[in-house]
Amino acid sequence: MSDLTRIPAPAGVAPAAQYSHVVTGTGRLVAVSGQLALDEDGRLVGEGDAGAQARQVFENLRRCLAAAGATFDDVVKLTCFVTDMAHMPALRAARAAHIPDDRLPAMSAVRVAGLVRPEFLMEIEALAVVDA
């Protein structure tokens, strides 16, 4: 695991409740492409169910990170694309199952008009830093 420093509230910036404003570290960068709610056979998980989709997306992120020798502890940034901001509580719950509050990464959440297929409710990408 890389030595990461999380800064939830830099001087002059309002504290972040659900993420860290800044995360720094040294090591090898791991970029994980946006993950969708697809199982290992490419089938949609949780049609119309934001909670089920979020859980599958985070499981896919976990597997991708593991393939690069990383874990959620190494994640410095998550970028979340959602078709409806009402899906954010489900996304945060799935994130909480993998990332404790004291290890929150930097994060952006963007509402989008749609994803690659209309049945997808969210897509999440990750950046991690691991030992070189």
Side-chain angles (χ1 to χ4, degrees):
M1 174 178 22
S2 174
D3 185 27
L4 301 179
T5 301
R6 290 169 174 78
I7 306 168
V13 178
Q18 298 290 324
Y19 57 91
S20 296
H21 278 293
V22 180
V23 181
T24 65
T26 58
R28 181 173 53 91
L29 180 67
V30 175
V32 178
S33 294
Q35 295 298 303
L36 299 162
L38 294 173
D39 68 13
E40 59 196 31
D41 296 318
R43 291 184 302 252
L44 174 67
V45 172
E47 185 164 359
D49 181 342
Q53 287 200 21
R55 289 187 296 276
Q56 183 64 46
V57 166
F58 273 90
E59 177 59 19
N60 291 348
L61 287 168
R62 186 195 65 74
R63 290 176 180 175
C64 290
L65 289 164
T71 70
F72 280 107
D73 282 344
D74 303 307
V75 172
V76 296
K77 176 79 162 64
L78 292 174
T79 304
C80 307
F81 305 95
V82 294
T83 57
D84 187 329
M85 292 310 261
H87 302 322
M88 289 303 296
L91 189 152
R92 283 192 292 271
R95 182 192 64 195
H98 294 277
I99 305 173
D101 285 348
D102 66 339
R103 308 233 10 114
L104 291 173
M107 186 170 153
S108 298
V110 181
R111 186 181 62 78
V112 295
L115 295 164
V116 67
R117 292 190 343 221
E119 61 268 26
F120 294 122
L121 304 177
M122 64 192 66
E123 179 174 343
I124 304 174
E125 61 187 28
L127 290 176
V129 176
V130 296
D131 289 333

